[in-house]
Structures are given as structure tokens and as C-alpha cells.
Amino acid sequence: AQSVAQPEDQVNVAEGNPLTVKCTYSVSGNPYLFWYVQYPNRGLQFLLKYITGDNLVKGSYGFEAEFNKSQTSFHLKKPSALVSDSALYFCAVRDDSGGSYIPTFGRGTSLIVHP
Amino acid sequence: KAGVTQTPRYLIKTRGQQVTLSCSPISGHRSVSWYQQTPGQGLQFLFEYFSETQRNKGNFPGRFSGRQFSNSRSEMNVSTLELGDSALYLCASSLRGGSPNTEAFFGQGTRLTVV
């Protein structure tokens, strides 16, 4: 069984400050982790993924995420937030055991960047 | 390269009616998945099609069905609509199915309102 948790419904940050959006997961096998962003009235856009290898993954728009196996976390980060980063962020996990590879999405975290 | 196209963007239906939603994946993508997004439940997996075959199905009643055509275009159908079916329905395509490390590309969604 797999699950993913985004403990914060909303994150507020001032423009120019670093941001972190948290994600923790639980899987039976090896985790494949993804971050997506959703702007109002739009579908989800892929930001980055962790498959294997380096624990620090770099993605689109200056975002990066750090995979921490011992803490079962995959937090999304950006060194300097922009107002245009304000959106809904989803973490998703796939488990390579079982064979179906259906992704489980977190409930989403609303990021609000204040000017 | 054109993205995932979903039609229509908005729909208003009456309880008891049925509805068909359409999705055209990115050219060359053979896997199409459908999701229901609601404020209360978040993103819920409906089903996945690959090469015209349903590979996976989520935990939804039989009123929800889908199919995929030889050109990879997909449709989903909801019969006997209920108020609770009001949601944003998202289609996602990926290059290949049966792989845990492949990211999905989402359409803008169809906003279904049941009155």
C-alpha cells in the first residue's frame, strides 16, 4: 500500500524568501516521487521527479526537491519565491511493488507568495 | 507539440442524465488516465487505458466507464449523474504505461456541474 501526506494546507511566504512545501510518503517497495503544480482553472503541470540516484532533484522554474529516505520525505524547495509561484502544489508517489503503478496524490498545498 | 486536449471545458447537466467527456493525448503518447478532482476528496484515480485496453481502475461505481480508441484518444462516460459527480475531470497522458517512473501530462480538465 502507498500513501502520501502534505501536512500543510497552505504555505505563506514573502517574495524573495526561500520556500518549502512538505511531503511525506509511505510505500511497500521503492518510491517514485513527483511534484506537480496547478494554477487556477488549469490542469496539473509536472515539475520534477525522483526515481533513483541523487537525493537533490532539480526541476522546472527553479524548483528543486530533496529526497530523504530515512525520513520518507520529498520536500519541494525554491531559494527565492516569486509572486507567480502562487498556486496549488501536489506531491504524488508510485510504488514499484504490485505492478499497477497507480499514483497516489497528496491533498495539495496552496502556496501564497506575498509581494 | 500540442498538449493534452480535453473537451468540453465546461458542462452543466441535470441529475439522472449521462455525459461523455473527451481527451486527446499528446501525439505519440499511448497511455491515458482519468482523474476526478474535488475540494473534499482531492485527486482520485478513475482509470487508465493503454493501447485500447483498460489497465487499471480506481474505486468508482460502474456508472463511470471509459474507452480508448486506436488513435489513443479516450472518452469517459458517466451515467445516471448524481450531484456528487460535480467535479473537475482531468485527463493525463504519458508516453508509455506500465512504468512507475513516467510523469504524466495533464489537460486543462472538464468542469462538470450536476444540478
Side-chain angles (χ1 to χ4, degrees):
Chain A
Q2 63 189 29
S3 65
V4 62
Q6 294 181 241
E8 299 155 318
D9 289 337
Q10 185 171 303
V11 170
N12 291 277
V13 64
E15 188 174 31
N17 283 0
L19 68 88
T20 299
V21 182
K22 296 179 180 177
C23 171
T24 59
Y25 67 91
S26 175
V27 296
S28 301
N30 295 308
Y32 296 81
L33 295 151
F34 304 79
W35 275 103
Y36 292 86
V37 59
Q38 185 178 33
Y39 296 99
N41 299 313
R42 303 293 298 272
L44 278 67
Q45 295 179 32
F46 168 74
L47 279 178
L48 51 79
K49 66 181 176 183
Y50 172 82
I51 301 172
T52 185
D54 287 342
N55 290 340
L56 186 63
V57 179
K58 294 188 183 297
S60 307
Y61 313 119
F63 284 94
E64 58 188 29
E66 186 170 8
F67 172 70
N68 187 316
K69 188 173 182 179
S70 62
Q71 296 185 7
T72 60
S73 67
F74 189 56
H75 300 332
L76 181 70
K77 300 181 179 184
K78 187 173 183 181
S80 179
L82 300 172
V83 172
S84 57
D85 292 330
S86 298
L88 191 56
Y89 290 80
F90 290 93
C91 180
V93 66
R94 277 181 166 145
D95 185 347
D96 71 352
S97 66
S100 71
Y101 307 138
I102 297 173
T104 297
F105 285 82
R107 298 296 298 267
T109 297
S110 177
L111 173 66
I112 300 174
V113 182
H114 302 277
Chain B
K1 201 177 209 183
V4 178
T5 303
Q6 290 188 246
T7 56
R9 289 292 311 278
Y10 301 93
L11 265 178
I12 299 176
K13 290 287 188 179
T14 304
R15 273 181 302 174
Q17 287 186 313
Q18 74 165 15
V19 66
T20 299
L21 312 181
S22 180
C23 172
S24 293
I26 291 173
S27 177
H29 284 195
R30 296 172 63 191
S31 173
V32 173
S33 298
W34 289 90
Y35 296 84
Q36 181 194 67
Q37 185 179 20
T38 59
Q41 298 296 319
L43 270 162
Q44 302 283 307
F45 172 80
L46 280 157
F47 24 66
E48 178 193 8
Y49 287 88
F50 181 77
S51 295
E52 302 178 67
T53 301
Q54 186 180 87
R55 289 177 51 90
N56 292 295
K57 190 177 191 305
N59 190 25
F60 277 82
R63 301 185 296 107
F64 292 81
S65 62
R67 59 178 175 169
Q68 187 180 34
F69 302 95
S70 58
N71 61 358
S72 293
R73 191 177 70 84
S74 177
E75 289 180 348
M76 68 162 282
N77 184 78
V78 188
S79 62
T80 320
L81 284 166
E82 301 176 359
L83 295 178
D85 297 333
S86 295
L88 181 66
Y89 289 88
L90 292 167
C91 168
S93 76
S94 57
L95 192 58
R96 56 187 180 277
S99 172
N101 61 2
T102 305
E103 63 270 27
F105 295 84
F106 285 79
Q108 295 189 63
T110 295
R111 173 74 63 186
L112 172 65
T113 302
V114 183
V115 297

